[in-house]
């Protein structure tokens, strides 16, 4: 019997509507390298969703590839990027950014979110030409901890970056979960687009087989980014595969529907665990939750469920990460809640 997975939000393949669209268009000849009609349709949809008629949009296959491409393209050789110490580019990308010659200047943050004071401290430390020059701020929405920047926090970061000549780049691997999270102070996709210089819309973790949509919020003065995509091996001859998926996600609101489901499953899971009197390492805002459980219970759960043990809390307890997805069935959530509530020391 296979385990029930709460390990990540890309364990499943793709939403049936995407598979159907890929199948239905399979024998329709198209231009290659992203010049097909489907990519053009998807770009037009994303521009409308973001209210950015002049945006430049590119499709690539994965998040690490996206971050490497955008950051290395926008920074000059002597420039660096500021990130939370927990940021994906610092922890989970095998030094991809550093491999392009750009230093990642990190700041420890308890909830995975940068503040203007954090950024100012880095700028103050880098004083002259004997050090790298911080020129970009990298943030994630949602963060590696499932937390969110509020509308006010993002607005403050945006204003600070513009006042100090810094680019603001947002990693949107889970932007779907972020913009559909409960709470009136969460910025929408349009608000995010208005506040940052570049970001990406994650498809891999929200129902697509693969793919991310890179959005430069204003038109690039030339097509140099296409050369970067090609040179770094990120340009697909069959770019249609990405365009079809994003057109399907945004055609009838499927993108938001799938993210809302993942958040709803996480909220039910969080409420069920809280009802068992367990606490959480971070606030549960999106589709990643981090309950703190007895190690003996974690050992028992691991025989039936897949998840990551995130951090040791005490000799007898640890925080685990549980992630719900667009495909998580309610019965799986009910099953693990039952297993936790049935635990006896």
């Amino acid at each position: 019997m296979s385990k029930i997975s709460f390990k990540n939000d890309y364990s499943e393949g793709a939403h049936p509507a995407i598979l159907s669209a890929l199948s239905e268009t399979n024998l329709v000849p198209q231009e290659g390298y992203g010049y097909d009609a489907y990519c053009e349709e998807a770009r037009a949809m994303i521009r409308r969703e973001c209210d950015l008629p002049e945006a430049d949009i590119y499709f690539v296959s994965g998040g690490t590839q996206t971050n490497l491409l955008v950051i290395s393209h926008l920074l000059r050789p002597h420039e660096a990027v500021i990130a939370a110490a927990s940021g994906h580019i610092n922890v989970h990308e095998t030094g991809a950014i550093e491999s392009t010659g750009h230093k990642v200047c990190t700041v420890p943050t308890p909830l995975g979110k940068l503040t203007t004071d954090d950024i100012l401290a880095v700028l103050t430390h880098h004083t002259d030409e004997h050090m790298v020059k911080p020129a970009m701020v990298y943030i994630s929405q949602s963060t590696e901890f499932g937390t969110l920047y509020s509308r006010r926090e993002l607005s403050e970061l945006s204003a600070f970056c513009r006042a100090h000549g810094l680019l603001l780049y947002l990693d949107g691997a889970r932007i779907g979960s972020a913009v559909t999270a409960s709470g009136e102070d969460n910025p929408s996709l349009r608000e995010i687009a208005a506040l940052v210089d570049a970001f990406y819309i994650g498809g891999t973790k929200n129902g697509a087989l693969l793919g991310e949509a890179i959005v430069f919020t204003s038109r690039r003065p030339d097509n140099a980014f296409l050369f970067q995509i090609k040179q770094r091996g990120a340009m697909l001859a069959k770019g249609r595969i990405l365009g079809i998926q994003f057109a399907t996600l945004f055609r009838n609101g499927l993108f938001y529907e799938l993210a809302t489901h993942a958040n709803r499953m996480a909220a039910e899971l969080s409420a069920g665990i809280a009802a068992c009197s367990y606490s959480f390492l971070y606030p549960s805002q999106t589709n990643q939750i981090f309950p703190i459980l007895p190690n003996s219970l974690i050992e028992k759960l691991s025989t039936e469920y897949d998840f990551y043990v995130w951090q040791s809390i005490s000799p007898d307890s640890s925080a685990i990460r549980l992630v719900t997805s667009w495909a998580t069935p309610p019965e799986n959530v009910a099953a693990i809640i039952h297993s936790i509530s049935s635990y006896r020391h």
Side-chain angles (χ1 to χ4, degrees), residues 14-21 45 49 176-177 179-180 201-203 205-209 244-262 264 325-327:
H15 189 272
I18 286 177
L19 297 178
S20 178
M45 289 177 170
E49 287 295 315
S177 184
V179 299
T180 58
I201 300 171
K205 295 175 180 176
N206 196 36
L209 277 174
I244 289 167
Q245 293 185 82
F246 276 95
T248 303
L249 285 171
F250 281 101
R251 184 169 293 116
N252 295 307
L254 182 62
F255 182 80
Y256 304 105
E257 177 186 326
L258 299 184
T260 297
H261 174 81
R264 186 186 307 118
S325 83
W326 62 273

Side-chain angles (χ1 to χ4, degrees), residues 67-223:
N67 290 332
L68 182 154
L69 284 164
V70 173
I71 293 173
S72 64
H73 178 66
L74 292 179
L75 295 185
R76 298 177 68 185
H78 61 283
E79 292 177 334
V81 56
I82 301 169
S86 58
H88 207 271
I89 60 171
N90 184 51
V91 181
H92 293 295
E93 295 186 355
T94 323
I97 305 306
E98 287 90 346
S99 76
T100 68
H102 298 285
K103 184 178 179 63
V104 180
C105 302
T106 61
V107 180
T109 56
L111 295 177
K113 299 192 296 181
L114 290 173
T115 67
T116 55
D117 285 344
D118 293 330
I119 301 168
L120 183 59
V122 176
L123 296 180
T124 303
H125 178 69
H126 290 77
T127 57
D128 54 38
E129 70 276 10
H130 299 286
M131 309 174 79
V132 293
K133 180 182 179 181
M136 175 187 285
V137 172
Y138 164 95
I139 60 174
S140 298
Q141 183 81 333
S142 62
T143 71
E144 296 301 300
F145 302 155
T147 53
L148 295 172
Y149 287 91
S150 68
R151 185 178 291 108
R152 177 187 58 79
E153 290 169 333
L154 187 58
S155 296
E156 288 177 355
L157 284 180
S158 178
F160 181 91
C161 287
R162 289 172 181 175
H164 289 79
L166 300 169
L167 294 167
L168 181 57
Y169 169 55
L170 186 143
D171 182 322
R174 293 187 172 96
I175 201 170
S177 184
V179 299
T180 58
S182 60
E184 296 181 358
D185 198 30
N186 297 327
S188 67
L189 193 58
R190 288 190 175 197
E191 290 171 321
I192 289 171
L195 292 170
V196 304
D197 297 290
F199 68 102
Y200 77 90
I201 300 171
T204 300
K205 295 175 180 176
N206 196 36
L209 277 174
L210 74 163
E212 327 297 328
I214 299 170
V215 181
F216 291 108
T217 58
S218 58
R219 189 75 69 181
R220 300 287 92 191
D222 53 38
N223 64 349

